[in-house]
Protein backbone atom coordinates (compact mmCIF):
# COMPACT_ATOMS: atom_id res chain seq x y z
CA UNK A 1 0.00 0.00 0.00
CA UNK A 2 2.83 2.36 0.90
CA UNK A 3 4.47 1.71 -2.46
CA UNK A 4 1.48 3.16 -4.27
CA UNK A 5 2.14 6.47 -2.52
CA UNK A 6 5.94 6.21 -2.56
CA UNK A 7 6.84 4.10 -5.61
CA UNK A 8 10.58 4.54 -5.09
CA UNK A 9 10.44 3.10 -1.60
CA UNK A 10 12.30 -0.22 -1.46
CA UNK A 11 10.57 -3.19 0.09
CA UNK A 12 13.60 -3.72 2.36
CA UNK A 13 13.07 -0.23 3.76
CA UNK A 14 9.44 -1.05 4.46
CA UNK A 15 10.35 -4.28 6.25
CA UNK A 16 13.02 -2.47 8.26
CA UNK A 17 10.48 0.14 9.31
CA UNK A 18 7.99 -2.58 10.29
CA UNK A 19 10.62 -4.43 12.30
CA UNK A 20 11.61 -1.22 14.06
CA UNK A 21 7.97 -0.46 14.80
CA UNK A 22 7.37 -3.91 16.27
CA UNK A 23 10.51 -3.74 18.41
CA UNK A 24 9.77 -0.21 19.52
CA UNK A 25 6.18 -1.06 20.35
CA UNK A 26 4.60 1.41 17.93
CA UNK A 27 3.26 -1.35 15.65
CA UNK A 28 1.46 -4.56 16.34
CA UNK A 29 1.12 -7.58 14.12
CA UNK A 30 -2.29 -8.72 12.89
CA UNK A 31 -1.77 -12.42 12.19
CA UNK A 32 -4.13 -13.84 9.58
CA UNK A 33 -4.68 -17.48 8.81
CA UNK A 34 -3.35 -18.38 5.37
CA UNK A 35 -2.36 -14.81 4.48
CA UNK A 36 0.62 -12.58 5.16
CA UNK A 37 0.37 -10.74 8.45
CA UNK A 38 -0.83 -7.16 8.43
CA UNK A 39 0.42 -4.44 10.76
CA UNK A 40 -1.38 -1.65 12.53
CA UNK A 41 -0.43 1.05 15.00
CA UNK A 42 -0.13 -0.23 18.55
CA UNK A 43 -2.38 1.32 21.14
CA UNK A 44 -5.55 1.43 19.06
CA UNK A 45 -8.71 0.80 21.05
CA UNK A 46 -9.58 -2.90 21.34
CA UNK A 47 -11.03 -4.16 18.06
CA UNK A 48 -11.07 -7.12 15.71
CA UNK A 49 -10.64 -7.77 12.01
CA UNK A 50 -12.62 -9.01 9.05
CA UNK A 51 -10.59 -10.56 6.23
CA UNK A 52 -12.27 -10.58 2.83
CA UNK A 53 -11.43 -13.85 1.06
CA UNK A 54 -12.04 -12.31 -2.37
CA UNK A 55 -10.12 -9.01 -2.35
CA UNK A 56 -7.92 -9.90 0.66
CA UNK A 57 -8.57 -6.56 2.31
CA UNK A 58 -8.68 -6.46 6.08
CA UNK A 59 -11.34 -4.35 7.75
CA UNK A 60 -11.47 -3.23 11.36
CA UNK A 61 -14.45 -4.39 13.38
CA UNK A 62 -15.22 -2.18 16.33
CA UNK A 63 -17.09 -4.80 18.24
CA UNK A 64 -16.13 -7.63 20.53
CA UNK A 65 -17.97 -10.70 21.79
CA UNK A 66 -17.09 -9.42 25.23
CA UNK A 67 -15.21 -10.79 28.16
CA UNK A 68 -18.24 -12.61 29.64
CA UNK A 69 -18.68 -14.79 26.57
CA UNK A 70 -14.94 -15.34 26.23
CA UNK A 71 -14.64 -16.35 29.86
CA UNK A 72 -17.46 -18.83 29.30
CA UNK A 73 -15.46 -20.37 26.42
CA UNK A 74 -12.31 -20.68 28.51
CA UNK A 75 -11.88 -24.19 29.95
CA UNK A 76 -12.00 -24.60 33.71
CA UNK A 77 -8.69 -23.92 35.37
CA UNK A 78 -7.30 -21.82 32.52
CA UNK A 79 -6.65 -18.14 32.99
CA UNK A 80 -7.75 -16.00 30.02
CA UNK A 81 -5.39 -13.09 29.37
CA UNK A 82 -6.11 -11.90 25.84
CA UNK A 83 -7.81 -12.93 22.63
CA UNK A 84 -7.58 -12.48 18.89
CA UNK A 85 -10.54 -12.74 16.60
CA UNK A 86 -10.48 -12.66 12.80
CA UNK A 87 -13.66 -13.09 10.82
CA UNK A 88 -13.36 -14.44 7.29
CA UNK A 89 -15.84 -13.91 4.47
CA UNK A 90 -16.66 -11.33 1.84
CA UNK A 91 -16.75 -7.55 2.12
CA UNK A 92 -19.86 -5.73 0.83
CA UNK A 93 -18.39 -4.93 -2.59
CA UNK A 94 -17.19 -8.52 -3.16
CA UNK A 95 -20.43 -10.00 -1.83
CA UNK A 96 -22.35 -7.68 -4.16
CA UNK A 97 -20.18 -8.57 -7.16
CA UNK A 98 -20.71 -12.30 -6.71
CA UNK A 99 -24.45 -11.90 -6.19
CA UNK A 100 -25.02 -10.40 -9.63
ZN1 LIG B 1 -13.65 -7.88 -0.73
ZN1 LIG C 1 -12.27 -8.51 21.62
Amino acid sequence: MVRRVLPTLGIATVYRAIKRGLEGGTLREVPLHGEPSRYEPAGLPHHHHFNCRSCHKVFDIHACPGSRLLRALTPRGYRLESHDLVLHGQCPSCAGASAT
Side-chain angles (χ1 to χ4, degrees), residues 27-92:
L27 279 183
R28 78 178 275 279
E29 185 175 3
V30 180
L32 299 171
H33 301 284
E35 286 207 31
S37 291
R38 309 299 163 89
Y39 300 90
E40 66 184 6
L44 292 175
H46 181 78
H47 66 284
H48 295 291
H49 297 97
F50 189 104
N51 180 20
C52 177
R53 287 196 188 283
S54 298
C55 66
H56 305 287
K57 283 184 187 154
V58 177
F59 303 87
D60 286 351
I61 301 172
H62 295 282
C64 179
S67 51
R68 257 183 69 188
L69 174 62
L70 293 164
R71 264 198 294 274
L73 294 174
T74 307
R76 248 184 121 81
Y78 290 77
R79 189 196 301 260
L80 178 67
E81 294 183 337
S82 67
H83 64 273
D84 276 307
L85 183 64
V86 180
L87 308 185
H88 300 271
Q90 294 198 306
C91 72

